[in-house]
Amino acid sequence: MGTAPEEQIAAFKQFLTEFSALHPNPIAEEDAMPFRINTFRMAEDEVEGECMDWVLEYLQDRNHAPPVLAAAIARHIADKVLAENLDTYLEEKLVEQPQWEGEEPVADEQLLDAMKLSRHVLSMVHETCVKWKAELPPIKPPTIPIYSIHAIKNTRRKMEDKHVIIPDLNTLFNFKDSKTRGFYAVYDGHGGIEAANFTAAHLHCHVVKQPEFKEDPSSALAKGFRAVDDAFIMKAKREGLRSGTTGVVALLEPDAVHIAWLGDSQVMLLKDGLPEVVMEPHKPERPDEKKRVEDMGGFVVWFGAWRVNGSLAVSRSIGDPDHKPYVSNETDTKTIPLDGTEECIILACDGLWDSTKRNKVARTVRDFIATEEPLDGISIKLVEHARSSGSNDNITVLVVFLNAKHLKESVERIKREGEPEDEDEEKKEEEEDESMEDDKPESERQSDSSNLTNSTPDTTASPEGQHAQTESAAEGGPCDSTVNSNANNNNNGHLSPQQGGADSTLGADSSVQMEAESSRKHQQPNWSSLDSTSSFHSSESFTDSKSCKIHKTSSPLQIRPSQNLNLRTSSKFGIGSNVTVEGKTNVSSSSHSRKPLNQVDKTPSSRLSPDKKISSGSKAPAPMKHSSMPATIKPKSHKRTSSLPKQHEMASKLKTKSTHPFKSLQINNTVATIVQ
């Protein structure tokens, strides 16, 4: 199922007519480029890949040209550029002067001016479209499978994902054999976009240049990954780049699909409506990957995630010159024979897979197919699901349909027979998560199990009767929303006192410790049954009156204090609600007296001087300074500051010299050093 050749020829002519009417002339020197060029200098062996990448982005991505027509124009222009004399695009050769006596000057590698060459290439696109509009050359397009692509930046500051869609690889590289080939890839960059851009432009070129490409595509894919990594490492050393990228590639043939991957970008196969695991991502926590890194002298450590040498969260990638050879460029490959029951393949970066299980991805696809909406919208649905599941990374999803008709039949069959039992799959995934949890250091497991911990617990409390049981704030419990906000912003899952953590005192006479223990075995209580005024009773009594702990459990909410607490309630109880605890404590909160955790007055009222006692009718004083509040800029002492040199004479000169970036400000016989 796909686009027929006759329909494609008609689409070719329509596109050429419309595009030629909009761009009848070449791009002049004073005209702005239609899109931003990613590189400024390039070597001669990069010309073919960069030229074809510019043409495909201009026609296919920016102007929605038919893929086969865009590939034919890209091949035509690349051949013409390679046949030209490129000396006119050479930059001035730079000579590096010797740094040490006796060294000879070293001439820098002579590179091409990419900006100048790209303007020439895009002008040739305009000329070619006008010429082909009058007479279209013979093109035999194959049947193209339906695909769906969607990519978003999400909450990240930059978009570092790239994808490549070449449904007709034969046209792009002038292969004359009858076997159709399609190339689909997703690249997830990190530390910058340069590695992902370079890989997207050159990987398929290196793959098809391998001698065994037609006979052994899997081997050609592995060698192509290594070749593009070597080429980018040279470029990185030349230009001072430090970025890297993971990648997953699917080379589609009529009787098989060849998969190659590097890092944590993944591909999933849907067969008979059910997901099939075809690969295992390269992550540092894998035992074999961890052993490989340690055998080479590196290490794998937990720092928010398992990281190679405490930095990268992937163990294999393209680029990352600072982390070679611990981060490998060796690719894993797999060939999947096609028998007609394979329905689609889903390629995506970790922005999807880290937030969505494979079974849920398959269920989302089936639900979308049941709606009978156009198939090109499935990737949007998957991206929206990943985003709603908590993913804040860049998300790129590419779905290629192998047999859409069979997929619809599978959806109808599953609808009649009911949802398949995927308990074994989910159980396996839970066991993998638990094994990863066991591999974490003890300190990290404790921080993951407790979002809020008291940094200075009361050691005088009795061991008996200290624990009260309730739902945590992370699960929607009756704790202040400020705690939840801070916990979500903390990567390590725990709060410091400066972030409004558990060290902030909740009441005037007592402290409250709140612990949030995350466990799938516990049930969340029904908060909807709680109204604004609720009573909670405890069967045990407190032996100490200065501590109160809140724990997660499946039992009803229980709080066991022994004296009054000025505890603020969340929106679950309603602002200004009263909560009776053991019939003794009346806990009240109102909107006008509500304070953030980082502004709570830690000084008990009993410690205030008699003249500062608060009467019932007087206005409450401003809250005292808390350690978690932003520090006020104060003038430094007259002693020498760390921003001045240690030499007394030089320091005195800098203090009096007004043109120096450090200025001296005299405030009440004290000196404050301010950096402009």
Side-chain angles (χ1 to χ4, degrees):
M1 184 177 181
T3 307
E6 297 78 10
E7 298 178 1
Q8 295 185 55
I9 295 296
F12 294 171
K13 296 179 179 179
Q14 180 181 357
F15 174 80
L16 292 172
T17 302
E18 296 176 355
F19 186 83
S20 300
L22 293 175
H23 307 284
N25 302 316
I27 299 178
E29 291 292 336
E30 62 274 8
D31 294 341
M33 294 290 288
F35 60 91
R36 181 181 177 183
I37 304 300
N38 296 318
T39 184
F40 300 98
R41 305 169 66 200
M42 60 182 183
E44 291 191 16
D45 56 358
E46 301 172 9
V47 171
E48 181 183 15
E50 293 292 345
C51 287
M52 291 192 298
D53 184 62
W54 294 335
V55 176
L56 292 177
E57 181 172 355
Y58 187 35
L59 293 178
Q60 188 173 332
D61 298 342
R62 304 279 175 168
N63 291 280
H64 309 289
V68 177
L69 177 63
I73 296 176
R75 181 73 264 166
H76 173 74
I77 292 178
D79 290 340
K80 292 185 65 175
V81 171
L82 293 174
E84 293 178 355
N85 184 7
L86 300 178
D87 292 343
T88 56
Y89 305 103
L90 288 175
E91 289 185 337
E92 183 180 356
K93 184 178 296 186
L94 301 177
V95 179
E96 182 180 355
Q97 298 299 325
Q99 298 181 357
W100 306 98
E101 186 177 355
E103 288 186 351
E104 295 293 333
V106 179
D108 191 11
E109 181 182 0
Q110 197 164 11
L111 303 175
L112 300 175
D113 186 346
M115 296 297 296
K116 187 177 180 180
L117 180 59
S118 62
R119 186 177 295 273
H120 174 61
V121 168
L122 297 185
S123 295
M124 294 176 65
V125 172
H126 293 181
E127 297 173 356
T128 302
C129 289
V130 172
K131 182 179 178 180
W132 286 17
K133 172 193 172 184
E135 184 180 357
L136 182 66
I139 302 176
K140 296 181 180 179
T143 300
I144 297 178
I146 299 175
Y147 60 85
S148 175
I149 176 67
H150 190 55
I152 63 171
K153 183 177 67 173
N154 209 356
T155 61
R156 292 296 178 91
R157 187 169 62 92
K158 293 182 179 180
M159 179 61 173
E160 296 179 332
D161 287 359
K162 291 287 290 184
H163 62 272
V164 174
I165 300 174
I166 307 176
D168 185 13
L169 203 64
N170 292 352
T171 299
L172 188 61
F173 291 98
N174 278 333
F175 292 149
K176 301 301 182 182
D177 54 342
S178 58
K179 178 182 287 188
T180 60
R181 300 177 180 88
F183 186 91
Y184 305 88
V186 171
Y187 306 110
D188 183 3
H190 52 261
I193 192 62
E194 299 87 3
N197 282 334
F198 188 87
T199 305
H202 297 282
L203 177 59
H204 47 279
C205 298
H206 287 281
V207 170
V208 300
K209 289 178 181 178
Q210 304 303 320
E212 64 272 25
F213 171 70
K214 294 183 178 181
E215 289 74 20
D216 189 1
S218 294
S219 177
L221 285 170
K223 291 184 178 180
F225 268 91
R226 290 194 294 269
V228 77
D229 179 63
D230 294 339
F232 180 75
I233 292 297
M234 294 178 60
K235 181 181 180 67
K237 292 180 179 179
R238 185 174 66 233
E239 301 181 13
L241 306 177
R242 303 178 63 184
S243 61
T245 182
T246 65
V248 58
V249 172
L251 180 62
L252 183 60
E253 294 182 344
D255 55 349
V257 55
H258 307 278
I259 306 297
W261 68 95
L262 202 63
D264 54 5
S265 297
Q266 302 181 47
V267 59
M268 187 185 79
L269 175 69
L270 209 63
K271 184 174 182 178
D272 292 327
L274 303 178
E276 281 200 1
V277 181
V278 298
M279 57 161 290
E280 184 179 2
H282 300 127
K283 294 188 176 183
E285 59 264 30
R286 272 178 49 176
D288 56 341
E289 291 294 289
K290 183 178 180 181
K291 184 178 183 301
R292 179 186 61 80
V293 173
E294 292 176 346
D295 290 345
M296 300 181 69
F299 61 92
V300 175
V301 65
W302 175 266
F303 190 72
W306 289 107
R307 300 180 183 275
V308 176
N309 295 339
S311 179
L312 287 183
V314 294
S315 57
R316 303 191 190 189
S317 68
I318 293 173
D320 294 314
D322 295 340
H323 300 279
K324 291 288 191 290
Y326 309 106
V327 177
S328 173
N329 63 0
E330 292 297 326
T331 309
D332 283 343
T333 61
K334 186 172 183 178
T335 298
I336 305 172
L338 301 179
D339 56 13
T341 59
E342 295 80 12
E343 296 152 344
C344 70
I345 54 175
I346 303 172
L347 299 89
C349 62
D350 61 339
L352 172 70
W353 306 114
D354 286 352
S355 61
T356 311
K357 299 295 185 181
R358 291 182 287 264
N359 288 327
K360 186 60 179 177
V361 172
R363 192 176 298 113
T364 303
V365 172
R366 294 197 300 266
D367 293 344
F368 183 85
I369 295 299
T371 63
E372 297 184 356
E373 296 182 12
L375 297 179
D376 56 2
I378 181 59
S379 60
I380 300 177
K381 193 70 174 179
L382 290 172
V383 169
E384 291 176 350
H385 183 272
R387 191 174 184 179
S388 63
S389 299
S391 176
N392 57 8
D393 196 0
N394 300 152
I395 307 175
T396 300
V397 176
L398 172 58
V399 182
V400 183
F401 291 93
L402 307 177
N403 193 338
K405 182 178 179 180
H406 190 273
L407 178 58
K408 293 181 179 180
E409 295 174 354
S410 299
V411 171
E412 295 175 357
R413 174 180 54 81
I414 293 175
K415 187 177 181 179
R416 291 192 308 268
E417 300 176 358
E419 289 286 335
E421 294 184 2
D422 45 13
E423 296 179 355
D424 294 339
E425 178 80 16
E426 294 179 353
K427 184 176 179 181
K428 181 179 179 181
E429 293 175 351
E430 291 180 1
E431 290 176 353
E432 292 176 355
D433 294 340
E434 291 176 358
S435 64
M436 291 168 57
E437 186 73 17
D438 294 338
D439 291 339
K440 292 182 181 180
E442 182 66 25
S443 60
E444 294 295 337
R445 292 202 299 269
Q446 291 176 359
S447 64
D448 288 345
S449 64
S450 176
N451 287 336
L452 301 175
T453 58
N454 192 351
S455 60
T456 56
D458 191 349
T459 58
T460 62
S462 171
E464 298 178 359
Q466 289 185 4
H467 301 286
Q469 297 176 340
T470 184
E471 277 293 331
S472 65
E475 297 292 332
C479 297
D480 196 274
S481 60
T482 307
V483 176
N484 287 333
S485 176
N486 289 334
N488 292 335
N489 292 332
N490 193 328
N491 293 333
N492 293 331
H494 57 84
L495 294 177
S496 64
Q498 288 74 13
Q499 292 174 301
D503 193 43
S504 300
T505 305
L506 294 180
D509 298 324
S510 60
S511 62
V512 177
Q513 180 183 10
M514 294 174 287
E515 297 180 2
E517 300 176 358
S518 59
S519 171
R520 290 186 295 270
K521 299 180 181 179
H522 291 157
Q523 251 183 345
Q524 183 177 0
N526 186 8
W527 289 107
S528 61
S529 63
L530 300 177
D531 53 15
S532 61
T533 304
S534 305
S535 298
F536 307 96
H537 300 280
S538 167
S539 60
E540 300 181 10
S541 61
F542 262 54
T543 58
D544 183 74
S545 62
K546 295 183 179 181
S547 65
C548 173
K549 290 187 177 181
I550 300 178
H551 289 272
K552 176 183 176 182
T553 183
S554 59
S555 61
L557 185 64
Q558 298 176 359
I559 305 178
R560 285 175 255 165
S562 60
Q563 71 177 104
N564 293 345
L565 301 177
N566 186 17
L567 179 64
R568 298 185 306 277
T569 58
S570 70
S571 57
K572 295 292 182 181
F573 296 97
I575 302 301
S577 61
N578 297 329
V579 180
T580 303
V581 183
E582 288 208 358
K584 303 178 184 179
T585 306
N586 186 15
V587 183
S588 62
S589 169
S590 60
S591 59
H592 67 272
S593 63
R594 183 179 178 88
K595 301 176 184 178
L597 285 179
N598 60 358
Q599 296 183 7
V600 177
D601 189 352
K602 296 182 67 175
T603 306
S605 59
S606 60
R607 296 184 182 180
L608 295 175
S609 58
D611 56 315
K612 294 183 179 180
K613 291 284 186 173
I614 303 173
S615 61
S616 58
S618 62
K619 185 179 179 181
M624 296 183 64
K625 186 69 179 179
H626 188 265
S627 59
S628 64
M629 297 178 66
T632 304
I633 299 178
K634 298 179 180 179
K636 296 187 178 180
S637 65
H638 63 279
K639 297 181 180 180
R640 176 180 54 81
T641 61
S642 59
S643 59
L644 295 177
K646 294 182 178 180
Q647 293 81 0
H648 177 71
E649 295 180 358
M650 182 61 68
S652 60
K653 290 181 180 180
L654 294 180
K655 289 181 181 179
T656 57
K657 192 173 182 180
S658 59
T659 58
H660 196 270
F662 298 98
K663 290 185 178 180
S664 299
L665 179 63
Q666 192 75 17
I667 303 177
N668 296 330
N669 297 325
T670 60
V671 178
T673 303
I674 303 176
V675 181
Q676 286 184 339

